[in-house]
Amino acid sequence: MSAQVNDQQVSEHIHSQVPEDNLENDIPGKQEQGEQPHHGHRKDAALEILGEDRSRFVARKIDKFILPPLCWVYFLQILDKSCVGYGANFGLQAEANLVGDQYSLISSSGYWAQLAFCCGFTAFLIVRVPTRLLMSTCILCWGATMIGLAFSKSFGPLLANRFLLGMFEAINIPLFTVVTMTWYRRREQPIRIAVWYGTNGVASMLGSLLAYGLSFIVSPVLYVYQILFLTVGLATVITAPLIYWRLDNNPATAKFLTPQERLWAVERLRNNNTGIETKEVKWNQVLECLLSPAVWLFFVITFCVNVGAAVTNTFGPLIIKGFGFDARQTILLNIPFGFVQAAVCVLGCILAARFGYKGLVIISFMLPCVLGSGLLYGLGRTANFQGGLLFGYYCIGFLFGCNPLIFSWIAANTGGHTKKSLAISLCNAGSAVGNIVGPLLFSSNQAPEYHPGVAAVLGIFISCSVLSGLLTFVFALMNKHKEKQRVAHGKPAKIIDTSMHKVYQAAPDDEVAAGYRLGDQAFMDLTDVQNDEFVYSY
């Protein structure tokens, strides 16, 4: 019979792993001086029976209550952003009297806001504000802004509301990634990120159908783009209170778990070695993050991927239209592109989980992007090339499989709550810069071939492949350094990273020295650099 535990025991189990003073200090440094952190024995009656079956049961329950809200909110965010592209296909530029690069500026303005707020402010909010309050407030604000876009009929109001939309949406990817890290084992994280990020493709498919259907509405008052913005904005506003009611902040306080299940949910994350949620901003972790070469490589790789993503999100319908199709045909032909987006998100994370090399999967996904860009650049815009042009455009959809891999990769390789919140926010800043630069590579006077823009994107895809290989090599070197650290501290050089195993395994319970056990540092708020038991994944 399983032991029964209450809320107080859950709290005691978590906090018994964390010393009361100076958690931010370098624990390996203390070990070098012969000191050992004090820990109670982590095994109790409830944990003795935590095995693969219990771990899977808890994971399925978490999937049921946490994944659906994340998927729906991310779907709405992508739909909101894509509406600008759909609006352009149905006359937004003409009806709002946009000239020159004004449409590109409107498309980029949301990412300027995202860049301004996601570098530090979003990381601060993620650390300090409870998850469900933060998420529901941002949803309400960007839904209201979307309704404001619906009543914007000139450049100024469109620019201002698009900027506000980007500001309120800036929190999403960093927050969603941290939420995924808070609930799931490292092996489980990529596929869960792929599930909510894959709604990017679902939004492209359903958004295309929605725009196609709404285009048949004839109104004496509202243009088609205004009807589209208003419909999506109202759906977003209604979502905000539902998310506040449905979402839980973390496993230790989850209402949908029993006290015993909460304890299991926390314990199964021990081998992640990425720490626990804390509401304290630790400035030494901020400095460590800003000085990390790996974080900045992630920043540049994210930038490269999202330059291409911005092109398809903003100019995708216009590029397809340039192949010789009318407005409604263009919208329908964008549906297969959405399917490619959703499929490669899941495929990429399955490959990464199966073979364990996220960097190599990213490189392999860049190859179709290079092929697709080459076809768009080299083929003419005549009717006999339409099939090849569409194939090339759909090939670029493989780049959407890279973002979930990038964010799950940095999540798995960053310890310390402040550091990982800031690192993910910085990667989101890289995404914002890419989305700013991408549309600016294209302008209306390049239509219909867009040769200069396509050539620039082709070079960026090649650079992304090289940088992904370099980052894999950097993590291999960092693991070698960790092995030397462990030997110096009297621990085994090689530690099996069971957090990446398909089947759950409890943390080892062997004493290494002076009563210290491997895994006792797991629930301290240590960074990956401070924790000598941390193992980087490739």
Side-chain angles (χ1 to χ4, degrees):
M1 180 179 294
S2 62
Q4 297 298 313
V5 295
N6 56 32
D7 290 339
Q8 182 179 356
Q9 286 174 292
V10 175
S11 179
E12 287 174 354
H13 172 72
I14 298 168
H15 292 292
S16 67
Q17 313 304 321
V18 188
E20 294 180 357
D21 56 343
N22 299 324
L23 287 186
E24 70 274 14
N25 291 341
D26 188 339
I27 298 300
K30 288 186 174 183
Q31 292 168 350
E32 288 177 351
Q33 300 170 19
E35 301 178 34
Q36 296 296 337
H38 174 70
H39 303 278
H41 198 290
R42 64 168 174 268
K43 299 291 185 184
D44 59 29
L47 292 185
E48 291 293 350
I49 60 171
L50 176 57
E52 171 63 8
D53 290 342
R54 294 287 189 269
S55 178
R56 283 182 180 272
F57 170 77
V58 172
R60 285 195 297 268
K61 206 166 181 181
I62 292 170
D63 285 341
K64 180 180 177 181
F65 284 88
I66 298 300
L67 272 185
L70 296 184
C71 291
W72 174 245
V73 174
Y74 199 77
F75 167 84
L76 283 178
Q77 181 209 357
I78 297 301
L79 189 59
D80 290 350
K81 290 195 292 189
S82 301
C83 280
V84 176
Y86 299 141
N89 191 58
F90 286 106
L92 168 65
Q93 291 157 297
E95 289 156 357
N97 299 310
L98 302 181
V99 295
D101 291 332
Q102 287 184 337
Y103 172 68
S104 294
L105 290 173
I106 290 170
S107 301
S108 300
S109 61
Y111 298 106
W112 282 107
Q114 185 175 314
L115 178 61
F117 284 89
C118 70
C119 291
F121 188 60
T122 56
F124 175 81
L125 290 176
I126 291 170
V127 172
R128 298 292 294 175
V129 182
T131 299
R132 67 174 186 164
L133 176 62
L134 179 58
M135 189 180 297
S136 56
T137 301
C138 289
I139 293 168
L140 180 64
C141 290
W142 97 59
T145 304
M146 196 71 192
I147 294 173
L149 268 174
F151 296 98
S152 302
K153 298 182 180 180
S154 61
F155 173 68
L158 284 169
L159 183 70
N161 279 293
R162 184 68 183 89
F163 181 89
L164 291 174
L165 186 66
M167 182 179 74
F168 293 125
E169 290 180 342
I171 197 76
N172 277 0
I173 288 183
L175 179 59
F176 283 27
T177 307
V178 170
V179 168
T180 308
M181 295 170 65
T182 302
W183 291 89
Y184 292 102
R185 295 172 58 227
R186 286 213 292 183
R187 180 185 172 87
E188 298 165 347
Q189 289 169 11
I191 192 65
R192 268 66 180 189
I193 291 177
V195 168
W196 56 255
Y197 189 87
T199 59
N200 197 321
V202 178
S204 294
M205 290 187 283
L206 297 185
S208 296
L209 290 173
L210 178 65
Y212 179 81
L214 294 177
S215 70
F216 289 97
I217 297 176
V218 178
S219 170
V221 180
L222 299 175
Y223 295 119
V224 171
Y225 79 86
Q226 291 178 295
I227 296 171
L228 180 62
F229 291 170
L230 186 59
T231 302
V232 176
L234 289 173
T236 304
V237 169
I238 293 170
T239 295
L242 298 177
I243 292 298
Y244 184 80
W245 166 74
R246 175 77 173 184
L247 199 63
D248 278 294
N249 292 321
N250 56 61
T253 60
K255 297 186 296 293
F256 65 87
L257 297 175
T258 66
Q260 183 168 284
E261 289 166 353
R262 291 175 204 161
L263 193 148
W264 290 341
V266 172
E267 178 61 25
R268 65 193 293 275
L269 304 179
R270 180 185 296 276
N271 291 337
N272 287 3
N273 267 306
T274 51
I276 58 171
E277 183 184 40
T278 173
K279 294 305 177 187
E280 178 187 356
V281 176
K282 297 186 176 179
W283 294 104
N284 63 319
Q285 294 191 15
V286 172
L287 180 62
E288 184 179 309
C289 179
L290 294 176
L291 296 178
S292 170
V295 169
W296 291 109
L297 277 172
F298 275 121
F299 175 92
V300 178
I301 292 171
T302 310
F303 162 80
C304 292
V305 168
N306 284 277
V307 166
V311 169
T312 58
N313 287 338
T314 305
F315 277 88
L318 296 179
I319 291 174
I320 294 177
K321 197 171 184 179
F323 299 164
F325 302 102
D326 64 30
R328 290 197 174 102
Q329 289 174 329
T330 296
I331 286 296
L332 293 177
L333 288 170
N334 202 50
I335 294 175
F337 186 79
F339 175 79
V340 173
Q341 288 177 268
V344 296
C345 284
V346 177
L347 175 63
C349 289
I350 290 174
L351 291 174
R354 174 67 180 83
F355 299 105
Y357 291 95
K358 298 181 182 70
L360 294 182
V361 177
I362 292 173
I363 293 171
S364 67
F365 278 6
M366 282 294 111
L367 298 179
C369 297
V370 171
L371 172 63
S373 303
L375 289 173
L376 292 184
Y377 186 85
L379 296 179
R381 297 305 188 264
T382 55
N384 57 316
F385 289 123
Q386 282 183 340
L389 290 167
L390 279 173
F391 175 76
Y393 180 74
Y394 294 152
C395 281
I396 296 178
F398 273 80
L399 67 89
F400 287 90
C402 298
N403 268 333
L405 288 171
I406 293 169
F407 282 99
S408 63
W409 200 7
I410 193 170
N413 282 345
T414 310
H417 191 63
T418 300
K419 181 180 179 181
K420 63 191 172 190
S421 298
L422 180 58
I424 294 167
S425 294
L426 285 172
C427 278
N428 199 36
S431 171
V433 175
N435 279 287
I436 290 168
V437 171
L440 297 178
L441 298 176
F442 291 72
S443 62
S444 55
N445 59 11
Q446 297 177 12
E449 293 87 0
Y450 296 99
H451 276 155
V454 171
V457 167
L458 175 60
I460 288 171
F461 288 155
I462 294 171
S463 300
C464 183
S465 302
V466 175
L467 291 169
S468 299
L470 176 61
L471 185 57
T472 302
F473 178 70
V474 167
F475 282 133
L477 291 180
M478 293 170 76
N479 272 338
K480 291 292 183 185
H481 178 67
K482 284 291 180 187
E483 291 176 9
K484 294 178 181 178
Q485 276 189 327
R486 287 192 285 270
V487 171
H489 299 153
K491 301 179 183 180
K494 298 284 187 181
I495 292 180
I496 299 174
D497 182 14
T498 58
S499 71
M500 297 299 292
H501 287 187
K502 182 177 181 180
V503 177
Y504 169 79
Q505 287 181 253
D509 203 34
D510 301 327
E511 293 189 7
V512 228
Y516 182 79
R517 292 177 176 82
L518 290 175
D520 277 346
Q521 296 174 182
F523 292 145
M524 300 180 188
D525 191 25
L526 298 179
T527 68
D528 52 287
V529 174
Q530 293 171 332
N531 186 356
D532 63 347
E533 296 172 16
F534 196 92
V535 179
Y536 295 98
S537 66
Y538 303 142

